[in-house]
Amino acid sequence: MVEPKANLAERRILVVEDDYFAMRDLCAGLERLDVTVVGPVPSVADALALVAAEPRIDVAVLDVNLRGEQVYPVADALAVRGVPYVFSTGYADDVIDPRYRHAPHCEKPVEMHKVEAALAAAIGG
Amino acid sequence: MADETDHRLLPSRQFVPICAIGASAGGVPALQNLFRQLRPDLGLAYVIILHLAPDYPSALAEILAACTTMPVFEVTDGPPLRRDCVFVIPPDRELVVDGDSVAARPFTEPRGRRAPVDLFFRSIATARGDGIAVVLSGAGSDGAIGVRAIKEAGGVVMVQEPADAAFGSMPQSAIATGAADFVVPVEQLAERIREVAHSKDAVRSLDMDEAANDLRRIVAFLRTRTGHDFASYKRATVMRRVMRRMQVCRLDTLSDYADHLYGSPAEAKELFGDLLISVTTFFRDPRAFAALHRHAVQPIFDGLDPDSDEGIRAWVVGCATGEEAYSIGMLLLEELHARKMFAPIQIFATDLDEGALATAREGRYPRTIEAYVTEERLARFFVDEGTHYRVRKDLRELVLFASHSVLKEPPFMRLDLISCRNLLIYMERSLQQQVATLFHYGLKPGRYLFLGSAETTDGSAELFAPLDRDARLYMARPKSLHTLPLLPQFAAPDRAAGTGPVAVVPLRPDQTGLAVAVHMASLERSAPPSVLVDDGYNIVNLSPTAGRFLLHSGGPPSNVLPIVVRPELRLDLQFALTRAVDQRQPTLTQATEVAFDGEVRRVAMQVLPSMRDDRMGAQALVLFLDAGVVSEEERQIARLDAQTGDVRRLHAELKIGHEALVASRLAHEASIQELRAANEELQSINEEYRSTAEELETSKEELQSINEELHAVNADMKGKLESISVAHNDLQNLTAANEVGTLFLAGDLRIRIFTPPVADIFNITTGDTGRLITDFTHRLRYNGLVDDIREVLSGSAPLEREVMSQDGLWYVTRLRPYRTVDNRIDGVVVTFVDVSARLEAENELSRSEQQLRTLVHASSQVMYRMNADWTEMRELFGGGVLANTDEPSGDWLGTYIPADERDRVRAAIRQAVDTRSIFDLEHRVLRSDGGVGWVHSRAVGTFDEDGRVTEWLGSANDVTTRNRAETALRHSEERMRVLIEGMPQFVWRAGADGGWTWSSPQWTTYTGLSEGTSHGDGWIGALHPDDRGRARNALVAAMVGGAFDMEVRIRNGATGVHRWFRSRAVPVRGEHGTVVEWLGTSTDVDDLRRLQQRQNVLVAELQHRTRNLLGVVRATADTTLKSSRDLDGFAVEFRDRLGALARVQGLLARLGEGTRVAFDDLLRSELSAVGAPKDEHGRVTLDGPPGVELRSRSVQTLALALHELATNAAKYGAFKQPTGRLAVRWRLERPDGSPEPWLHVEWHESGVAMPAEGGVAQGGGAGRNLIEQALPYELGAKTSFVMAPDGVRCSISLPASGRPMASDDG
């Protein structure tokens, strides 16, 4: 496995997660990796606003189900900007829309090393 | 012709030209057809008279409006007629025209006698004297009288061709009047109307001055053609008729018409007919007829001499079609019957119009005469012939119809009544006077003249005295006229009119100069008295002083000069007049002594033939020359001079001779008078003979037609004779060819005819005809033959014997009476039929029958015979199955057929008997062993020669066993069918190749595809298009793999929705293991699949929740771990928190779909979990609306926050300390601009002793974090958390679902 820290340091990472506790864990984990968290935001609307406003986003972690909404519009907006992303989801793999299955994803409850690996893969890929 | 100015020459000039159309049954289509073709600019006003139902509004106007562009009006009250408009009669009204307006008024006649078409046509004729009348389809004869009136008034009459009309009776009646100018189909009517309208316009613009010339030409030509001079007819009348003909001929100017007239004899005849046409009806002007009856008919009968055989004589002049004559005849007959008298009545009816006379002679009138003739008269004098009435014979025979010109031919004489109505009006006044004189001459003195309503005899007041001026009834004044008045055309049709007897014109001073007058007066004074006489010596004129030479003797005053002149002058005058008239020689007579009163004068006479031209006839002027008084002395001298004896003697002889001559002369004159009278009488009688001759001519024609009929009958008889002859030949041949011996005997037993075979039995030959049969021997063993013959002759029924001949042949001998046409027995017919061969055959048949019977007995089949209607069974052989019936049985049904089967059997029998077909039925029977079995029975009728069924022969098989098996199979199949049709699955069968051969009804019910459509691979059509290929593949695979199992979507035919079905099929294999067919089912698995999908979704959701929950648990554990001092503390705290989580999950799980967790429930749940004190002593206050619903995703985090607050209160706060109090207040608010309401919660603790600042946190880290961080982040909530000195103060505001007890998102 490649040492990922070098890749992620200084990166600006967008976090979209509606669950407070999960967000708190994730953000805490990411900050330990010496990255800058953009957000976090709990909803599609907030996320889209942020994507539109934020000058720099290197990569994103997206919870698939946001208060009953699917996060895919955010993924599309990111793709337009050429920003890679990673899904975090409580569902099984096959719940992700087939169009977005190419993106790496982590199952909840997230484990930080998996997130780190997924982010590295997303950026590297 | 009079050249007076007549303003009525063109009576319709100022009127809108009218086209009146009458129709009845079948008229509406004809009208539609007509108006579709009529050009709308002909300038005519169309008035339509249709027989309408009185009680219903008429749609005729609307109907016609659709056929023409002309405006169509229903006539209401008197609209003015307008060109190019159509006026339609309204229901229950009759129309009359007055000037240029049409009035609709209620019917004046009762229903059944109404003739609105006639009425309207006649009103046109009266009021306008012009117009076009059209008669279209209709039943009845309405219009027939009207068209004649129209024609008489100068209008043009068009009639739809009867063959073209839906109902031809009305057109036919119109045509029968002879008034129709055009008879054409509707298609051509429009064109004719156009032409006539055009011609009418042209006629209106004629130049009248030129017209007068042409008219003279026409009249002159007509006189040469027909011998009738219409010059004295009124010019307006003649003009009107000529113009009418011009319209009919479509000629525009009179001179064109005159040319046409020259070139066409037929046209001369037509014009002549038109000029003669007159209109009359029965009892025309009823008031006048009443007067006639009162003032004329009754006096005639009063004065009737019962001993005279002269009877009553009447003359109807210008009788036209005879109505007038018959009307008078009816009056006379009625009076005759009322008086119960018998007197001969003779009515002469004369006219010039032969066509009209033919109609009159036929005495057949249209039904519309009902309007004029009372019902009693119709019944008394007419025979109802359906569409027409015919005059009865007694009335018909009263009237003699003859062609006769009142102007040209001598009148009838000794008449009691002359009726001459509406003839005089056509004549000039002078002609009228002459005709009046003529009538006076024909009438007996004091008898009656009956004229038309516009005619008088005022010009001849000295001849006729008015009896009833209004009725135009006059009486002939008793005045003797010895000469038949001269008429212009009388006996000299080519003579110019207007010359009467010539009179010496008296000199009138105002016409001459004074000198001339003086001269003439002195001349008159000094001229000798004179008399002008005609060739009959009648005095034409006397000079003023001539009177004294005349001496009237007794008797009727005479006009003849030699009679009235003084006796002394008569002899010389007679002689001189004869010379003057016959030889045109003047004579001067010797002076004769004439004794005047008291003196004797000598008078000579000069008689000069008249110097007038020949046209006047011979006339003579007699001058009396007075030679002065003869004095007594002169007479004496004269006497003395004659004293000589010879002179005396001669004188005496002369005187005797003279006296004898005078006597003979008087006698001669008397006889001349008598002859003259006789001559006149003879002339009249001659007229009557002529009329009679015409009648005879008519009779002769009838005889000719009878003769024709006799010819036809004769031909018919000839034909019959021929056929009799043929029949005779046939009979001969029949006799010769007949193999049955037939012998005809007369009543006395003599031979009449026989056929050849008889000769084999009797020893007779053809020559023996007429001999007694008893004279011959025969070869029969039949001794009673003659006795039998006599018996039949005596009237017994026919006899029949079978006898054998001596050589062993058998004969059937029949004896029948020979009956004549009048059913008299006049002999015997004996027939001998050789039946030897038949008897042989009968024996053979009998043997054969016996054999058959034996065979039947041996058979195991049931055999039977029934009578014709099956009421009786004649015989039945049971064949071991049924009991035998040997005797005929009427109760066979009871014997053989179970009670509940009898109706069916009877029905089949009825069917077979009624249709004479084969009886064929399987039915149950009562077997001879007592059980019930089945037989298949068939029976066939046998027919006699008339085709009647005589009996039925039948046989029956025992099919009991077979039927039981079939019944069981049928029941089994029925159960199967019920099963298949009852189950929810579709069941189907397919052939070995997979093509469907059958499907259960459910398939059709569901898919809407009929079974037939589904056969083969038609069923694939019901599949979802995406599944069809898959289904075909599966079918192919099944052929190989031997099984078919797939899920497909099948379309519901009613809703169009596809549902999932699982279709399976298994092969049915035959004896050799090959697949015979496939049996398949299709089961609806749509609901199952839907449930499975839903389950999958639910499982995924569950996983999601579980994972999230685990995330929460992990976060909780992390938090608790951080805040715990030791493991025990962690355990307690962690368990509490997990408990809170579990409660929330419990609350969420218990909820059904569409329900929410209410805030107060959540609050109470958390409070009770930490053991919060119940609401005792007011320590805990909960205040807010119940049932405020929370969003599902809010519940968990809010519950955890409440849990933290409650736990904190329990451990350190309001619940822990005895003085602590807690108040929770919440409310629901909708902020401005927010789509959803917000829940505001205040958590207010009080009475709590708070630890010092910076002291141990009250476990608030986790709770505070939740409230201040997690709620805003997750739920967008607004929160505050304050540690007040006496307790925690916390407020939470978050969006709520806002609808107490209702649903929102999932």
Side-chain angles (χ1 to χ4, degrees), chain B residues 872-921:
Chain B
E872 185 183 83
M873 173 178 281
R874 294 192 169 149
E875 206 170 12
L876 180 140
F877 303 105
V881 180
L882 305 181
N884 284 356
T885 292
D886 300 326
E887 296 294 316
S889 161
D891 184 32
W892 61 276
L893 272 172
T895 310
Y896 294 112
I897 311 297
D900 55 351
E901 189 75 335
R902 287 173 197 159
D903 285 343
R904 209 162 68 83
V905 172
R906 282 197 199 97
I909 290 170
R910 201 157 41 243
Q911 163 83 10
V913 169
D914 289 350
T915 62
R916 298 150 61 87
S917 55
I918 292 171
F919 170 83
D920 189 333
L921 184 70

Coordinates of all heavy atoms in Angstrom, one line a residue, chain B residues 872-921:
Chain B
E872 N -101.6 -44.3 -31.2 CA -101.8 -45.7 -31.0 C -100.6 -46.5 -31.5 O -100.1 -46.3 -32.6 CB -103.1 -46.2 -31.8 CG -103.5 -47.6 -31.6 CD -104.6 -48.0 -32.5 OE1 -104.4 -48.3 -33.7 OE2 -105.8 -47.9 -32.0
M873 N -100.2 -47.5 -30.7 CA -99.1 -48.4 -31.1 C -99.8 -49.6 -31.7 O -100.7 -50.2 -31.0 CB -98.2 -48.8 -29.9 CG -97.2 -49.8 -30.3 SD -96.2 -50.2 -28.9 CE -95.1 -48.8 -29.0
R874 N -99.5 -49.9 -32.9 CA -100.2 -51.0 -33.5 C -99.6 -52.3 -33.2 O -100.2 -53.3 -33.0 CB -100.2 -50.9 -35.1 CG -101.1 -49.6 -35.4 CD -101.4 -49.6 -36.9 NE -102.4 -48.5 -37.1 CZ -102.5 -47.8 -38.2 NH1 -101.6 -47.9 -39.2 NH2 -103.4 -46.9 -38.3
E875 N -98.2 -52.3 -33.1 CA -97.5 -53.6 -32.8 C -96.1 -53.2 -32.4 O -95.6 -52.2 -32.8 CB -97.5 -54.3 -34.2 CG -97.3 -55.8 -34.0 CD -97.5 -56.5 -35.4 OE1 -97.5 -55.8 -36.4 OE2 -97.7 -57.7 -35.4
L876 N -95.6 -54.1 -31.4 CA -94.2 -53.9 -31.1 C -93.6 -55.3 -30.8 O -94.2 -56.1 -30.0 CB -94.1 -52.9 -29.9 CG -92.6 -52.7 -29.4 CD1 -92.4 -51.2 -29.0 CD2 -92.2 -53.6 -28.3
F877 N -92.4 -55.5 -31.4 CA -91.7 -56.7 -31.0 C -90.5 -56.3 -30.2 O -89.7 -55.5 -30.6 CB -91.2 -57.4 -32.3 CG -92.3 -57.8 -33.2 CD1 -92.4 -57.1 -34.4 CD2 -93.1 -58.8 -32.9 CE1 -93.5 -57.4 -35.3 CE2 -94.1 -59.1 -33.8 CZ -94.3 -58.4 -35.0
G878 N -90.5 -56.8 -29.0 CA -89.6 -56.3 -28.0 C -88.1 -56.7 -28.1 O -87.2 -56.1 -27.5
G879 N -87.9 -57.7 -28.9 CA -86.5 -58.2 -29.2 C -85.8 -58.6 -27.9 O -84.6 -58.5 -27.8
G880 N -86.6 -59.0 -26.9 CA -86.0 -59.5 -25.7 C -85.7 -58.3 -24.7 O -85.3 -58.5 -23.6
V881 N -85.8 -57.1 -25.2 CA -85.5 -56.0 -24.3 C -86.8 -55.4 -23.7 O -86.9 -55.2 -22.5 CB -84.8 -54.9 -25.1 CG1 -84.5 -53.7 -24.2 CG2 -83.5 -55.4 -25.7
L882 N -87.8 -55.2 -24.6 CA -89.1 -54.7 -24.1 C -90.1 -55.7 -24.2 O -90.0 -56.7 -25.0 CB -89.5 -53.5 -25.0 CG -88.4 -52.3 -25.2 CD1 -89.0 -51.2 -26.0 CD2 -88.1 -51.8 -23.8
A883 N -91.2 -55.5 -23.5 CA -92.3 -56.4 -23.6 C -93.0 -56.3 -24.9 O -93.1 -55.2 -25.4 CB -93.3 -56.1 -22.4
N884 N -93.5 -57.3 -25.5 CA -94.2 -57.2 -26.8 C -95.5 -56.6 -26.7 O -96.2 -56.7 -25.6 CB -94.4 -58.6 -27.4 CG -93.0 -59.2 -27.9 OD1 -92.0 -58.4 -27.9 ND2 -93.0 -60.4 -28.4
T885 N -96.0 -55.9 -27.7 CA -97.4 -55.5 -27.8 C -97.9 -56.1 -29.1 O -97.4 -55.8 -30.2 CB -97.4 -53.9 -27.9 OG1 -97.0 -53.4 -26.7 CG2 -98.9 -53.5 -28.2
D886 N -98.9 -56.9 -28.9 CA -99.5 -57.6 -30.1 C -100.7 -57.0 -30.6 O -101.1 -56.9 -31.7 CB -99.8 -59.1 -29.8 CG -98.5 -59.8 -29.4 OD1 -97.4 -59.4 -29.9 OD2 -98.5 -60.6 -28.5
E887 N -101.5 -56.4 -29.6 CA -102.8 -55.7 -30.0 C -102.5 -54.2 -30.0 O -101.7 -53.7 -29.3 CB -103.8 -56.0 -28.9 CG -104.2 -57.5 -28.8 CD -104.9 -58.0 -30.0 OE1 -105.8 -57.2 -30.5 OE2 -104.5 -59.0 -30.6
P888 N -103.2 -53.5 -30.8 CA -103.1 -52.0 -30.8 C -103.3 -51.5 -29.4 O -104.2 -51.9 -28.7 CB -104.1 -51.6 -31.8 CG -104.3 -52.7 -32.7 CD -104.1 -54.0 -31.9
S889 N -102.4 -50.6 -29.0 CA -102.5 -50.1 -27.7 C -102.4 -48.5 -27.7 O -101.6 -47.9 -28.3 CB -101.3 -50.6 -26.8 OG -101.1 -49.8 -25.7
G890 N -103.4 -47.9 -27.0 CA -103.4 -46.4 -26.9 C -102.5 -45.9 -25.8 O -102.2 -44.8 -25.7
D891 N -102.1 -46.9 -24.9 CA -101.3 -46.4 -23.7 C -99.9 -46.9 -23.8 O -99.3 -47.3 -22.8 CB -102.0 -46.9 -22.4 CG -101.3 -46.4 -21.2 OD1 -100.8 -45.3 -21.2 OD2 -101.3 -47.1 -20.2
W892 N -99.3 -46.9 -24.9 CA -98.0 -47.4 -25.1 C -97.0 -46.5 -24.3 O -96.0 -47.0 -23.8 CB -97.6 -47.5 -26.5 CG -97.6 -46.2 -27.3 CD1 -98.7 -45.6 -27.8 CD2 -96.5 -45.4 -27.5 NE1 -98.3 -44.5 -28.4 CE2 -97.0 -44.3 -28.2 CE3 -95.2 -45.5 -27.2 CZ2 -96.2 -43.2 -28.6 CZ3 -94.3 -44.4 -27.6 CH2 -94.8 -43.3 -28.3
L893 N -97.2 -45.2 -24.2 CA -96.3 -44.3 -23.5 C -96.2 -44.8 -22.1 O -95.1 -44.9 -21.5 CB -96.8 -42.9 -23.5 CG -96.4 -42.0 -24.7 CD1 -97.2 -40.7 -24.7 CD2 -94.9 -41.8 -24.7
G894 N -97.3 -45.2 -21.5 CA -97.3 -45.6 -20.1 C -96.6 -47.0 -20.0 O -96.0 -47.2 -18.9
T895 N -96.7 -47.8 -21.0 CA -96.1 -49.1 -20.9 C -94.5 -49.0 -21.1 O -93.8 -49.7 -20.4 CB -96.6 -50.0 -22.1 OG1 -98.0 -49.9 -22.1 CG2 -96.2 -51.4 -21.9
Y896 N -94.1 -48.1 -22.0 CA -92.7 -48.2 -22.4 C -91.8 -47.0 -21.9 O -90.6 -47.1 -21.8 CB -92.5 -48.3 -23.9 CG -93.1 -49.6 -24.4 CD1 -94.2 -49.6 -25.2 CD2 -92.4 -50.8 -24.1 CE1 -94.7 -50.8 -25.7 CE2 -92.9 -52.0 -24.6 CZ -94.1 -52.0 -25.4 OH -94.6 -53.2 -25.9
I897 N -92.4 -45.9 -21.7 CA -91.6 -44.7 -21.5 C -91.7 -44.2 -20.0 O -92.9 -44.1 -19.5 CB -92.1 -43.5 -22.4 CG1 -92.2 -44.0 -23.8 CG2 -91.1 -42.3 -22.3 CD1 -91.0 -44.5 -24.5
P898 N -90.6 -44.0 -19.3 CA -90.7 -43.5 -17.9 C -91.4 -42.2 -17.9 O -91.3 -41.4 -18.9 CB -89.2 -43.4 -17.5 CG -88.5 -44.2 -18.5 CD -89.2 -44.2 -19.8
A899 N -92.1 -41.9 -16.8 CA -92.9 -40.7 -16.7 C -92.2 -39.4 -17.1 O -92.6 -38.6 -17.8 CB -93.6 -40.6 -15.3
D900 N -90.9 -39.3 -16.5 CA -90.2 -38.0 -16.7 C -89.6 -37.9 -18.1 O -88.9 -37.0 -18.4 CB -89.1 -37.8 -15.7 CG -88.2 -39.0 -15.6 OD1 -88.5 -40.1 -16.3 OD2 -87.2 -39.0 -14.9
E901 N -89.7 -39.0 -18.9 CA -89.1 -38.9 -20.3 C -90.2 -38.7 -21.3 O -89.9 -38.4 -22.5 CB -88.5 -40.3 -20.5 CG -87.6 -40.3 -21.8 CD -86.3 -39.6 -21.7 OE1 -86.2 -38.7 -20.8 OE2 -85.3 -40.0 -22.4
R902 N -91.5 -38.7 -20.9 CA -92.6 -38.7 -21.9 C -92.6 -37.4 -22.7 O -92.9 -37.4 -23.9 CB -93.9 -39.0 -21.2 CG -94.0 -40.5 -20.8 CD -95.2 -40.8 -20.0 NE -95.0 -42.1 -19.4 CZ -95.6 -42.5 -18.3 NH1 -96.6 -41.8 -17.8 NH2 -95.3 -43.7 -17.8
D903 N -92.4 -36.3 -21.9 CA -92.5 -35.0 -22.6 C -91.5 -34.9 -23.8 O -91.8 -34.4 -24.9 CB -92.3 -33.8 -21.7 CG -93.5 -33.6 -20.8 OD1 -94.6 -34.1 -21.2 OD2 -93.4 -33.0 -19.8
R904 N -90.3 -35.4 -23.5 CA -89.3 -35.3 -24.5 C -89.7 -36.1 -25.7 O -89.5 -35.7 -26.9 CB -88.0 -35.7 -23.9 CG -86.7 -35.1 -24.5 CD -85.5 -35.3 -23.6 NE -85.1 -36.7 -23.5 CZ -84.3 -37.2 -24.5 NH1 -83.9 -36.6 -25.5 NH2 -84.0 -38.5 -24.3
V905 N -90.2 -37.3 -25.4 CA -90.6 -38.2 -26.5 C -91.7 -37.6 -27.3 O -91.7 -37.6 -28.5 CB -91.0 -39.6 -25.9 CG1 -91.5 -40.5 -27.0 CG2 -89.8 -40.2 -25.3
R906 N -92.7 -37.0 -26.6 CA -93.8 -36.4 -27.3 C -93.3 -35.3 -28.2 O -93.8 -35.2 -29.3 CB -94.8 -35.9 -26.3 CG -95.7 -36.9 -25.7 CD -96.9 -36.3 -25.0 NE -97.5 -37.3 -24.1 CZ -97.3 -37.2 -22.8 NH1 -96.5 -36.3 -22.2 NH2 -97.9 -38.1 -22.0
A907 N -92.4 -34.5 -27.7 CA -91.9 -33.4 -28.5 C -91.3 -33.9 -29.8 O -91.5 -33.3 -30.9 CB -90.9 -32.6 -27.7
A908 N -90.5 -34.9 -29.6 CA -89.8 -35.5 -30.8 C -90.8 -36.0 -31.8 O -90.7 -35.9 -33.0 CB -88.8 -36.5 -30.4
I909 N -91.9 -36.6 -31.3 CA -92.9 -37.2 -32.1 C -93.6 -36.0 -32.9 O -93.8 -36.1 -34.1 CB -94.0 -38.0 -31.3 CG1 -93.3 -39.2 -30.8 CG2 -95.2 -38.3 -32.2 CD1 -94.2 -40.0 -29.8
R910 N -94.0 -35.0 -32.1 CA -94.7 -33.8 -32.7 C -93.8 -33.3 -33.9 O -94.3 -33.0 -35.0 CB -94.9 -32.8 -31.7 CG -96.1 -31.8 -32.1 CD -96.7 -31.2 -30.9 NE -95.8 -30.8 -29.9 CZ -95.7 -31.2 -28.6 NH1 -96.6 -32.1 -28.2 NH2 -94.8 -30.8 -27.8
Q911 N -92.5 -33.2 -33.6 CA -91.6 -32.6 -34.6 C -91.7 -33.5 -35.8 O -91.8 -33.0 -36.9 CB -90.2 -32.6 -33.9 CG -89.1 -32.4 -34.9 CD -88.9 -31.0 -35.3 OE1 -89.5 -30.1 -34.7 NE2 -88.1 -30.8 -36.3
A912 N -91.6 -34.8 -35.6 CA -91.5 -35.7 -36.8 C -92.8 -35.7 -37.6 O -92.9 -35.6 -38.8 CB -91.2 -37.1 -36.3
V913 N -94.0 -35.6 -36.8 CA -95.3 -35.7 -37.5 C -95.5 -34.4 -38.2 O -95.9 -34.4 -39.4 CB -96.4 -35.9 -36.4 CG1 -97.8 -35.7 -37.0 CG2 -96.3 -37.3 -35.9
D914 N -95.2 -33.3 -37.6 CA -95.4 -32.0 -38.2 C -94.6 -31.8 -39.4 O -95.0 -31.2 -40.4 CB -95.1 -30.8 -37.2 CG -96.1 -30.7 -36.1 OD1 -97.2 -31.4 -36.3 OD2 -95.9 -30.0 -35.1
T915 N -93.3 -32.2 -39.4 CA -92.4 -31.9 -40.5 C -92.4 -33.1 -41.5 O -91.7 -33.1 -42.4 CB -91.0 -31.6 -40.0 OG1 -90.5 -32.8 -39.3 CG2 -91.0 -30.4 -39.1
R916 N -93.1 -34.2 -41.1 CA -93.1 -35.4 -41.9 C -91.7 -35.9 -42.1 O -91.4 -36.4 -43.2 CB -93.8 -35.2 -43.2 CG -95.3 -34.7 -43.1 CD -95.7 -33.8 -44.2 NE -95.6 -34.5 -45.5 CZ -96.5 -35.3 -46.0 NH1 -97.6 -35.5 -45.4 NH2 -96.4 -35.8 -47.2
S917 N -90.9 -35.8 -41.1 CA -89.5 -36.2 -41.2 C -89.3 -37.5 -40.4 O -90.2 -38.0 -39.8 CB -88.6 -35.1 -40.8 OG -88.9 -34.8 -39.4
I918 N -88.1 -37.9 -40.3 CA -87.7 -39.1 -39.6 C -87.7 -38.9 -38.1 O -87.3 -37.8 -37.7 CB -86.4 -39.7 -40.1 CG1 -86.5 -40.1 -41.5 CG2 -85.9 -40.8 -39.2 CD1 -85.2 -40.5 -42.1
F919 N -88.3 -39.8 -37.4 CA -88.3 -39.7 -35.9 C -87.0 -40.3 -35.5 O -86.7 -41.5 -35.9 CB -89.5 -40.4 -35.3 CG -89.4 -40.6 -33.8 CD1 -89.8 -39.6 -33.0 CD2 -88.9 -41.8 -33.3 CE1 -89.7 -39.8 -31.6 CE2 -88.9 -42.0 -31.9 CZ -89.3 -40.9 -31.1
D920 N -86.1 -39.6 -34.8 CA -84.8 -40.1 -34.4 C -84.5 -39.6 -33.0 O -84.3 -38.4 -32.8 CB -83.8 -39.7 -35.4 CG -82.5 -40.4 -35.2 OD1 -82.2 -40.8 -34.0 OD2 -81.7 -40.5 -36.2
L921 N -84.5 -40.5 -32.0 CA -84.3 -40.0 -30.6 C -83.7 -41.1 -29.8 O -84.0 -42.3 -29.9 CB -85.7 -39.6 -30.0 CG -85.7 -39.0 -28.6 CD1 -85.1 -37.6 -28.7 CD2 -87.1 -39.0 -28.1

